[in-house]
Amino acid sequence: MAIGTTTMAIIGIAGAMASAYGAFRQAQAQQQQARAQAEVAKANQDIALQNQQLAEDQARKEARQGYEDQLRTRQEAARIIGQQRAAAGASGAQVDLGGTLDWTLETAEKGEVDALNAYQKGLDAAYNRKLEAWNYGNQAGQFGAQAAAYKSQANSMSPWLAGGTSLLGGLTQVGMGFGKDLWGVGSTSTGLKFGGKSASSVLKKSVWGSGSNWLK
């Protein structure tokens, strides 16, 4: 049983509307995904910035700790030297001569080396923290660029435009097919038939008559 032209047109319109809705939903899902990715990237950027700040704060603390350890080490060396000199004086020895002087100088040298090592340790720890902060800063920049890209992508999408474009294309195809079936445009074998004759032929005879040469 042949399907009428009007029925075919209705089916075509329904199909175009279904395709348009599918295009709308697909574009909407893509837009929502891009926005979600932008939010994730922005959150990662915020975390990286926080970590950068923490690393920078820790670097300052490490440098300060090294400086304070240096001072304490020197103070401890001075205390030991004082005890040595007091002991030498109590024994009647010359504190600034001979073995007592060598002993004092040795203690002072060792104390200064330990103090410098403590300070350098703090500087090394601070440098490592600064390096971490630098890395976190780079990460924050990358995440920020990703967030901006995803946001731009989301803003460039329009579910309504995608659905409308799909619907327009589908209705255009339906209209072309409807006209082709009804009037036989572009085809002599697949038009709408009335009593075995094409719609255009029947229309010519019914309206203008078969003798109208300019319509033949």
Side-chain angles (χ1 to χ4, degrees):
M1 179 178 179
I3 300 177
T5 303
T6 302
T7 303
M8 289 296 295
I10 293 174
I11 294 174
I13 292 173
M17 293 179 66
S19 296
Y21 180 73
F24 171 84
R25 292 292 295 171
Q26 181 179 11
Q28 187 180 51
Q30 291 174 346
Q31 186 181 53
Q32 291 174 347
Q33 182 181 10
R35 287 174 176 170
Q37 290 173 324
E39 292 177 358
V40 170
K42 182 61 171 62
N44 289 334
Q45 181 189 26
D46 292 340
I47 293 173
L49 289 174
Q50 292 175 0
N51 289 336
Q52 180 186 22
Q53 185 62 50
L54 290 174
E56 290 175 350
D57 292 343
Q58 190 63 35
R60 287 188 288 270
K61 290 180 180 179
E62 295 286 359
R64 181 67 182 178
Q65 184 65 45
Y67 175 75
E68 292 176 353
D69 288 344
Q70 174 185 236
L71 294 180
R72 279 194 295 269
T73 303
R74 284 175 176 164
Q75 291 171 356
E76 179 65 16
R79 185 187 66 80
I80 294 174
I81 291 174
Q83 290 177 346
Q84 290 173 345
R85 291 172 63 88
S91 66
Q94 295 285 337
V95 295
D96 293 328
L97 296 174
T100 303
L101 178 60
D102 292 340
W103 188 25
T104 300
L105 292 177
E106 181 181 353
T107 302
E109 180 181 2
K110 183 178 183 303
E112 184 61 21
V113 169
D114 290 344
L116 292 176
N117 286 337
Y119 183 60
Q120 186 62 48
K121 181 179 179 181
L123 293 180
D124 291 341
Y127 174 80
N128 291 333
R129 293 299 185 181
K130 289 180 179 179
L131 187 60
E132 288 181 11
W134 184 81
N135 289 331
Y136 284 129
N138 281 343
Q139 290 179 10
Q142 294 173 0
F143 285 131
Q146 290 179 7
Y150 284 130
K151 184 177 180 180
S152 177
Q153 181 182 357
N155 291 337
S156 67
M157 296 178 180
S158 175
W160 289 105
L161 179 60
T165 301
S166 175
L167 180 61
L168 181 61
L171 293 178
T172 300
Q173 292 297 321
V174 171
M176 292 176 62
F178 184 76
K180 182 177 179 181
D181 288 342
L182 184 60
W183 304 107
V185 178
S187 174
T188 58
S189 60
T190 59
L192 181 62
K193 302 297 182 179
F194 294 92
K197 297 182 180 181
S198 68
S200 59
S201 176
V202 173
L203 185 62
K204 289 177 186 178
K205 291 183 179 180
S206 62
V207 177
W208 301 103
S210 59
S212 298
N213 295 328
W214 67 282
L215 284 174
K216 293 182 179 179

